[in-house]
Amino acid sequence: MSELLRLATAGSVDDGKSTLIGRLLFDSKSIFADQLEAVERTSRDRGDEYTNLALLTDGLRAEREQGITIDVAYRYFATPRRKFIIGDTPGHIQYTRNMVTGASTADVALILIDARHGVLEQSRRHAFIAALLGIPHLVVCVNKMDLVGWSRDRFEEIKEDFRAFAMKLEVHDLVFIPVSALLGDNVVDQSANLDWYDGRPLLHHLENVHIASDRNLIDARFPVQYVIRPQSGTDHDLHDYRGYAGTVAGGVFKAGDEVVVLPSGFTSRVAEIRGPGGSIEDEAFAPQAVTLTLTDDIDISRGDMICRPNNRPTVGQDIDAMVCWFSERSTLTPGSRYIVRQTTRAVPATVELLEYRLDINSLHRDEAADRLDLNEIGRVRLRTQAPLIFDQYRRNRSTGSLILVDPATNNTVAAGMIVGGEQARVTANVTWHENAVDRSKRSETGATIWFTGLSGSGKSTVAVEVERLLVEAGRAAYLLDGDNLRHGLNADLGFGAADRGENVRRVGEVAKLFADAGLVSVVSLVSPYRSDRNRVRAAHEAAGLRFFEVFVDTPLDVCEARDPKGLYAKARAGQISGFTGVDDPYEAPDSPDLVLRPGHGGPSAMADLVLGLLEV
Amino acid sequence: MSAAYELSHLRALEAEAVYIFREVAAGFERPVLLFSGGKDSVVMLHLAAKAFWPAPLPFPVMHVDTGHNLPEVIEYRDRTVARMGVRLVVGSVQEDIDAGRVVEETGPRASRNRLQTATLLRSIREGRYDAVFGGARRDEEKARAKERVFSFRDEFGQWDPKNQRPELWNLYNGAHRKGEHIRVFPLSNWTELDIWQYILEEEIELPSLYYAHRREVFERDGMLLAVSPFVTVLPDEEVFEATVRFRTIGDATCTGCVESAAYDVASVVTEVAASRLTERGATRADDRISEAGMEDRKKEGYF
Ligand SMILES: Nc1nc2c(ncn2[C@@H]2O[C@H](COP(=O)(O)OP(=O)(O)O)[C@@H](O)[C@H]2O)c(=O)[nH]1
C-alpha cells in the first residue's frame, strides 16, 4: 500500500531548492518528456551550462521574469512506496507567510542550506517555523557540496551550527544530508564523492521516515461538519436518518463507543460508522471522512464536537495562541476584531492582549510590542464570542489550529496555534464546593515539605528518607518526585520557563490537595524560579495549610561532579539546553524554612532536621 | 490494514475531497459542480455523491457546452445525470455567439475553447452560484500548481494569482461578498495516475472515448485530431484510421487523441504509469499557445 507523505521545502533564494525539487522529480522519473524538453529549450536559450531543472518548478510568469519563486506551489511525485506532495515555499524574508502556509500540514520539512554560505538568518527562520508548526521531522540538506570540494569538515561545521540553534526549539527528529542538487549526488543514489557520508540519500530517507505514529490516535475528536438528513418522503428507512458527517481529527472511534457531544454535554453511543458512499466501517481514525449515527436522538449541529466522556478537549472563550500575521495592509493590535475559524466553527473574536512579539532569529520576546506586522509572530490572548472546542496545537494539529479572517476584507490575515486557554465552565462558572468533612474533623493535619535545589543536589535522596521515616512513624505521607511526575501528570510539559512554571503550579496544587486530605506531601522538585515557589506557598497559606521550603544548597561543582543522570555532561556538550545551573538560572530562596548543606551529614541526618520542622 | 490505522494514498485523497464537498455544502448557499463528462469531472461527481450518502447531491451540475462535442460525450452526460438524479444546467456557448456577446474565431483552426470563459461566467452570474466546483488538478500545469483549493474570484470572475488567500491546515476560507464567488478544487492534490487508479478501484464508468477504439484522425501540430463536423481538415493534412483513445475530453477542435491499445481501465492505468508525456502536452492544443497560456486564461476566469 502506498502512503501519502506531505513535504514542505524551504531555503533562501538560490540555495538550490528548485533545482533539488526538479532533481527529485527527474530522478524519480516523475518528469514527462515534454516538460523536460521545454526546460532544455529554455535552458539553452538562456545560455545555462546545465539543464536548469529549477525551471520545472518555477510556475507563474512573474517568477519567470524575476527568476524567483514567489508563492507556494505544489508538486507531486510518487515512488512505489509513497506518493509525495511537496509544498514548495520560497525563502524570501518577506514570505514567512508562504512557508507557514505551505508547511501547515507537512509531515516532513526539508530545509536547504548552501554549503558555501552555511546557516543563515533565514535558515534559522525556517527551522523556527517548522518547529512552530509542529512538523514532526526536519531534514536539512546541505547543498552545493560540489562547490566546497565535497568537504566533510564543512558539512560537520554546518551541522553543529544548525544543531546549536535547533536545540532551543521543539524539534524531535533532525537529520542532515549532504547533496549536490545540480549534479544529483546523494539525492536519489549514494554518491562516490560523498563516500564519507554513511546515512541514506535524500529520497531513500523520505521513503522511509516513519510518519504513521505522528498522528494522535489517543484523543478521540470528531468535529461535526455537516448533518446529513435525506428526509426522503418515500423511503421510510431514510425518513428519520440523521448522520453526522465529518473528518476524524484524532483518536479512534468504534461502533458502540460511549461518546459525549460538546458543548452540550449530552452523552450517547456510536450506532454506526459509514465511510464515503455508505460503506460500513468498524472504526474510524484520522484523517478519515466518515458519517456517524448515534443511538440517541439528540440535537447536534455543525461546529459541535463528538468525543469520549473521559477524554475531552477544552471548551472555552479565552484562548492563548501563537499567531503569524499575514496581512500587509493591516496590523494586529489589541482590541481588533476578527472571525476565528477553528475545526468546523467560525466565531467572532477580539484580540484581548498581545503578550509579546517574538524575534524569530534570537527568540527574544518583546513584551513591549503593541502590534504585529506582516510576517511577524507573537503570542496573543483571544476572547471569542462563543466557546471554541480545542486542544493544544502541540497535542493535536487539527483541533489546535485556527485562522483569523478580517470581516472587512474577508481575507485570511493570520494563522494561529493554540498554546492553551481556559476551560470556560470549570474556572468561570463552577464555584468551589466546600467539602462536607471539614479539616478539623480529619484525623491528622497535613502539610507540604518542598525540597528545592539543583539537579544532583540530593533533594530526592533526602525526600525519600523523610517519607520513609514518616510512614514508619505511622504518618500518612506521600512523595511527589518531579522527575516521576513528568512521566504522567506533567508529561505534556517541556523545560521552557512557562512550562516549568506550569510544572511547579501543578505539583503545588496536588501537594496542597494531599495536605488538605491530611497527608504530608513531600515534594522534590528543582523548581528554579523563586516566584513559582512563592505562589505555591501563597496557595497553601490561603488554604490554611502548612508549607515548609527546604533549600538543598549543594554547590554547583559538587552537583556537577556527582552528575547521577549524566545531564550536566549533556548540557555542557550542548546536547540539551535550558539546563538549570548551566544555561538556565537557579534562584535561591530568600527565606527558606530550612537550608541543608553537605556539611550537615548524610541523608538520614538531614531527614531528621527536616522532621524537626513538623515537630513529630 | 485498520490495525495499523494506515490509509492508502487514494483513500487519503478521497477523504480530503469528501471533506471539501461537505465544507462547501455547509458554508455556501448556491454551489454548483462543473461537469463536462471528462474523467476528472466524472470522478469529482462520483466523490460528491459519496460525500452526501444516503442523501441526494445537495447542488446541481453545470455543463459549459461549446456545441463542439463528440456525440459520445453528450450521450454519457445525459445518461449519468439521469442515473444519479441530479439537476443539469447547460451553459451554451452557441447562445452567446447567437446573441452577439462573443465573436467566434474564424478559419480552419478556429476553436471555441476560449469563448467558454464568457459562457461560464454568464452562467455563474445568472445562476447566482457562490461556489463552483472544478475538477482541475495541480499537477496539470504550472499555473495551476499554485492555485488554492478555495480560490477566490472577484465580481468579474477574475483570479489574482499574486493576491491569493493563505490556505492553512484544512481551514478553508470561503468568505465572499455578493457577486463574488469561490472556485473550489477538490481534486487539487490528485495526479492523472491517481485519477485512473481510483477509477479502477471504484469501477467508475467513463465515456467510451477514453478507451481504445478505431476512428478517423489526422495529424496537426504533432497531435492526432479526430475528424468531426467541427474541424476543417486542411489540404495538406492526411486523414487515416487509427486505434486511439483520448486522454482528456474537451472541445473537439483542440483536443487530440493518442494511439493506444488500452481497451479497459487496467490497461489505461498501465499506460499512464509508463507515459512520458503530460496529458495536456500530448493532447491539448490550447495549452500550447504560449508558455504562459494557462495563466492568462485563468486570470480571465477560465476553468
Ligand atoms: N554547483 C552547484 N550549483 C547548484 C546546486 N544546486 C543549485 N545550484 C545552482 O544554484 C542556483 C540557484 O538554484 P535554484 O534551484 O534556482 O535556487 P532556489 O532559489 O533555491 O530555487 C542555480 O544557478 C543552480 O543551478 C548544486 O548542488 N551545485
Side-chain angles (χ1 to χ4, degrees):
Chain A
M1 187 185 73
S2 112
E3 217 180 354
L4 201 60
L5 184 138
R6 294 176 200 258
L7 178 68
T9 56
S12 309
V13 177
D14 284 343
D15 280 351
K17 188 163 52 66
S18 309
T19 310
L20 182 71
I21 293 173
R23 173 61 64 185
L24 277 171
L25 301 183
F26 180 71
D27 285 359
S28 67
K29 310 212 170 20
S30 304
I31 296 296
F32 294 102
D34 54 324
Q35 290 174 320
L36 190 62
E37 255 168 53
V39 165
E40 280 170 346
R41 202 170 339 114
T42 315
S43 281
R44 262 197 314 277
D45 294 351
R46 295 179 10 159
D48 290 342
E49 202 175 321
Y50 295 88
T51 297
N52 189 348
L53 292 174
L55 294 173
L56 282 169
T57 61
D58 280 351
L60 300 184
R61 179 199 297 251
E63 295 172 345
R64 281 194 293 280
E65 283 163 4
Q66 297 164 21
I68 51 160
T69 317
I70 56 164
D71 198 305
V72 187
Y74 296 88
R75 317 284 166 205
Y76 303 84
F77 73 101
T79 67
R81 295 182 71 111
R82 276 185 177 161
K83 171 187 163 123
F84 296 89
I85 299 180
I86 307 179
D88 180 13
T89 59
H92 256 230
I93 298 174
Q94 62 267 46
Y95 290 122
T96 295
R97 167 173 88 177
N98 292 332
M99 173 160 178
V100 170
T101 301
S104 68
T105 55
D107 303 299
V108 178
L110 196 158
I111 295 179
L112 252 89
I113 292 181
D114 185 325
R116 297 169 304 171
H117 307 318
V119 179
L120 302 177
E121 193 175 303
Q122 287 189 50
S123 322
R124 287 193 205 106
R125 181 179 287 259
H126 298 147
F128 173 80
I129 293 172
L132 181 72
L133 285 165
I135 302 178
H137 309 275
L138 200 56
V139 178
V140 178
C141 276
V142 181
N143 186 34
K144 306 196 187 182
M145 287 301 292
D146 53 309
L147 297 182
V148 295
W150 312 103
S151 159
R152 177 175 198 164
D153 288 346
R154 182 64 186 143
F155 175 71
E156 295 295 337
E157 192 182 342
I158 291 171
K159 198 167 144 178
E160 281 324 302
D161 226 20
F162 192 96
R163 225 187 248 292
F165 179 76
M167 220 135 53
K168 299 187 203 144
L169 307 171
E170 222 178 295
V171 176
H172 302 291
D173 176 27
L174 178 60
V175 169
F176 296 85
I177 304 181
V179 299
S180 168
L182 187 65
L183 306 178
D185 291 74
N186 223 9
V187 175
V188 172
D189 298 310
Q190 216 93 38
S191 152
N193 293 315
L194 298 162
D195 54 2
W196 46 263
Y197 171 74
D198 51 13
R200 307 181 282 200
L202 176 62
L203 183 63
H204 193 263
H205 182 73
L206 295 177
E207 280 190 298
N208 290 287
V209 55
H210 186 65
I211 56 170
S213 50
D214 296 338
R215 288 164 310 158
N216 180 328
L217 290 170
I218 298 173
D219 310 316
R221 302 282 184 266
F222 186 80
V224 175
Q225 190 186 8
Y226 186 80
V227 181
I228 297 181
R229 301 206 61 179
Q231 288 176 310
S232 164
T234 48
D235 186 335
H236 283 290
D237 280 350
L238 289 185
H239 190 75
D240 294 325
Y241 181 93
R242 198 201 281 227
Y244 304 105
T247 293
V248 180
V252 180
F253 287 86
K254 295 187 170 67
D257 275 353
E258 190 183 356
V259 292
V260 61
V261 181
L262 296 176
S264 70
F266 289 122
T267 54
S268 183
R269 280 183 191 280
V270 176
E272 202 176 65
I273 302 175
R274 299 274 192 164
S279 61
I280 298 224
E281 310 285 337
D282 296 335
E283 47 193 8
F285 54 92
Q288 285 182 318
V290 295
T291 304
L292 306 183
T293 49
L294 304 183
T295 51
D296 301 272
D297 203 4
I298 43 185
D299 186 27
I300 300 179
S301 48
R302 176 176 164 90
D304 289 353
M305 176 98 74
I306 297 177
C307 56
R308 306 293 304 274
N310 53 2
N311 177 342
R312 303 180 184 210
T314 310
V315 181
Q317 289 173 263
D318 295 295
I319 285 118
D320 292 317
M322 296 298 299
V323 299
C324 177
W325 189 251
F326 289 155
S327 170
E328 56 264 272
R329 292 183 210 141
S330 61
T331 57
L332 177 143
T333 48
S336 329
R337 295 176 59 82
Y338 304 101
I339 306 294
V340 175
R341 299 191 71 104
Q342 180 261 350
T343 64
T344 50
R345 299 202 141 209
V347 177
T350 308
V351 177
E352 292 274 285
L353 189 71
L354 173 61
E355 287 186 34
Y356 56 82
R357 178 174 59 209
L358 195 68
D359 178 326
I360 70 178
N361 300 307
S362 64
L363 302 184
H364 173 74
R365 298 173 176 187
D366 179 2
E367 289 173 13
D370 56 3
R371 60 186 226 182
L372 292 181
D373 287 320
L374 176 64
N375 291 317
E376 290 184 335
I377 291 172
R379 178 165 163 153
V380 299
R381 167 153 279 222
L382 301 171
R383 169 80 187 173
T384 57
Q385 224 169 66
L388 297 185
I389 306 170
F390 60 92
D391 293 289
Q392 282 189 0
Y393 183 79
R394 55 193 297 183
R395 180 107 195 147
N396 189 318
R397 283 165 90 182
S398 299
T399 55
S401 52
L402 57 84
I403 58 172
L404 299 183
V405 176
D406 183 340
T409 62
N410 286 334
N411 278 329
T412 304
V413 289
M417 278 109 333
I418 298 176
V419 184
E422 270 167 41
Q423 175 80 29
R425 259 163 304 166
V426 172
T427 51
N429 304 336
V430 175
T431 49
W432 185 258
H433 286 275
E434 287 296 340
N435 284 8
V437 185
D438 99 9
R439 198 168 296 132
S440 60
K441 302 199 187 83
R442 295 193 192 274
S443 56
E444 291 177 288
T445 52
T448 292
I449 302 173
W450 189 281
F451 288 89
T452 171
L454 295 170
S455 174
S457 59
K459 298 182 300 295
S460 295
T461 318
V462 181
V464 165
E465 187 61 14
V466 167
E467 184 195 27
R468 194 181 65 78
L469 292 174
L470 282 169
V471 173
E472 260 180 24
R475 291 286 318 254
Y478 195 82
L479 173 65
L480 294 165
D481 184 275
D483 285 350
N484 296 348
L485 293 173
R486 278 192 178 270
H487 292 292
L489 178 66
N490 295 332
D492 57 330
L493 298 178
F495 291 89
D499 278 5
R500 282 179 190 266
E502 174 62 11
N503 189 32
V504 170
R505 188 190 71 79
R506 287 187 200 171
V507 177
E509 285 294 319
V510 173
K512 193 182 83 183
L513 291 173
F514 281 11
D516 192 36
L519 276 73
V520 178
S521 306
V522 183
V523 177
S524 167
L525 196 66
V526 176
S527 45
Y529 308 133
R530 204 174 292 130
S531 56
D532 292 338
R533 295 188 306 261
N534 287 346
R535 264 193 291 276
V536 177
R537 178 192 287 276
H540 277 75
E541 284 171 357
L545 293 164
R546 294 183 298 161
F547 179 86
F548 304 103
E549 189 175 19
V550 179
F551 176 30
V552 185
D553 187 14
T554 309
L556 179 62
D557 53 334
V558 177
C559 296
E560 200 165 343
R562 291 181 186 159
D563 203 7
K565 295 175 189 154
L567 293 174
Y568 284 97
K570 279 194 185 153
R572 292 288 178 202
Q575 287 160 2
I576 51 178
S577 63
F579 192 75
T580 303
V582 177
D583 56 352
D584 209 65
Y586 178 82
E587 300 170 0
D590 290 331
S591 45
D593 298 278
L594 178 68
V595 181
L596 298 175
R597 299 215 166 81
H600 292 149
S604 50
M606 287 186 175
D608 283 339
L609 291 173
V610 175
L611 293 181
L613 292 170
L614 290 173
E615 294 153 355
V616 285
Chain B
M1 171 200 131
S2 54
Y5 299 117
E6 280 170 14
L7 216 52
S8 76
H9 81 272
L10 281 183
R11 293 301 143 192
L13 291 172
E14 177 186 66
E16 181 178 84
V18 164
Y19 174 83
I20 292 164
F21 282 115
R22 290 168 172 173
E23 212 44 25
V24 170
F28 289 80
E29 311 221 326
R30 296 178 64 84
V32 68
L33 182 147
L34 295 174
F35 181 69
S36 63
K39 66 177 189 317
D40 298 328
S41 73
V42 171
V43 166
M44 186 163 70
L45 181 59
H46 178 88
L47 285 161
K50 290 185 84 169
F52 300 102
W53 181 96
L57 207 62
F59 40 76
V61 304
M62 175 157 76
H63 182 210
V64 177
D65 184 359
T66 59
H68 284 178
N69 295 291
L70 296 174
E72 292 91 331
V73 179
I74 299 298
E75 183 269 325
Y76 174 88
R77 178 195 78 186
D78 293 343
R79 191 157 42 81
T80 305
V81 297
R83 175 170 54 82
M84 301 187 61
V86 294
R87 189 161 69 82
L88 172 71
V89 182
V90 177
S92 159
V93 174
Q94 189 66 50
E95 259 176 44
D96 284 302
I97 295 171
D98 294 346
R101 286 187 286 258
V102 294
V103 181
E104 186 156 28
E105 293 175 12
T106 52
R109 287 166 175 263
S111 159
R112 288 182 170 182
N113 194 54
R114 239 185 141 116
L115 302 186
Q116 292 181 93
T117 302
T119 307
L120 172 65
L121 294 180
R122 175 178 59 80
S123 307
I124 292 172
R125 218 167 32 243
E126 287 176 3
R128 289 179 291 116
Y129 297 117
D130 53 359
V132 181
F133 290 106
R137 308 186 320 261
R138 286 174 179 153
D139 83 318
E140 280 178 79
E141 210 278 333
K142 281 201 256 182
R144 295 222 193 267
K146 319 229 141 177
E147 186 149 21
R148 308 293 192 244
V149 172
F150 272 39
S151 188
F152 177 77
R153 293 294 186 278
D154 66 14
E155 58 197 310
F156 305 106
Q158 293 180 341
W159 180 54
D160 181 358
K162 281 200 174 166
N163 224 338
Q164 300 193 77
R165 295 176 179 171
E167 194 163 77
L168 298 103
W169 298 291
N170 57 4
L171 298 171
Y172 299 111
N173 175 6
H176 62 280
R177 295 194 190 88
K178 220 175 148 73
E180 301 167 340
H181 72 275
I182 307 285
R183 295 283 173 88
V184 181
F185 301 106
L187 304 181
S188 288
N189 287 322
W190 297 54
T191 61
E192 186 187 12
L193 185 58
D194 297 329
I195 294 283
W196 278 109
Q197 286 173 338
Y198 190 72
I199 289 169
L200 178 66
E201 260 191 44
E202 296 274 303
E203 300 177 12
I204 300 171
E205 190 204 333
L206 292 183
S208 55
L209 295 174
Y210 278 109
Y211 304 107
H213 57 282
R214 299 290 291 174
R215 166 178 297 276
E216 290 208 307
V217 295
F218 63 97
E219 194 176 326
R220 177 179 289 173
D221 301 333
M223 283 186 331
L224 293 181
L225 290 182
V227 174
S228 74
F230 317 116
V231 287
T232 315
V233 182
L234 298 174
D236 60 337
E237 290 170 334
E238 181 200 336
V239 172
F240 58 99
E241 212 185 81
T243 303
V244 297
R245 64 176 196 86
F246 288 81
R247 281 178 76 178
T248 68
I249 287 181
D251 189 306
T253 56
C254 62
T255 307
C257 46
V258 291
E259 288 198 75
S260 165
Y263 291 97
D264 61 9
V265 193
S267 39
V268 172
V269 171
T270 316
E271 195 180 283
V272 170
S275 172
R276 303 301 298 143
L277 283 186
T278 61
E279 61 188 24
R280 285 191 167 265
T283 60
R284 290 295 279 255
D286 44 329
D287 290 340
R288 295 184 163 193
I289 304 163
S290 78
E291 221 201 310
M294 179 60 88
E295 187 177 335
D296 289 341
R297 270 180 293 148
K298 283 185 68 62
K299 282 187 187 166
E300 291 166 11
Y302 189 70
F303 299 112

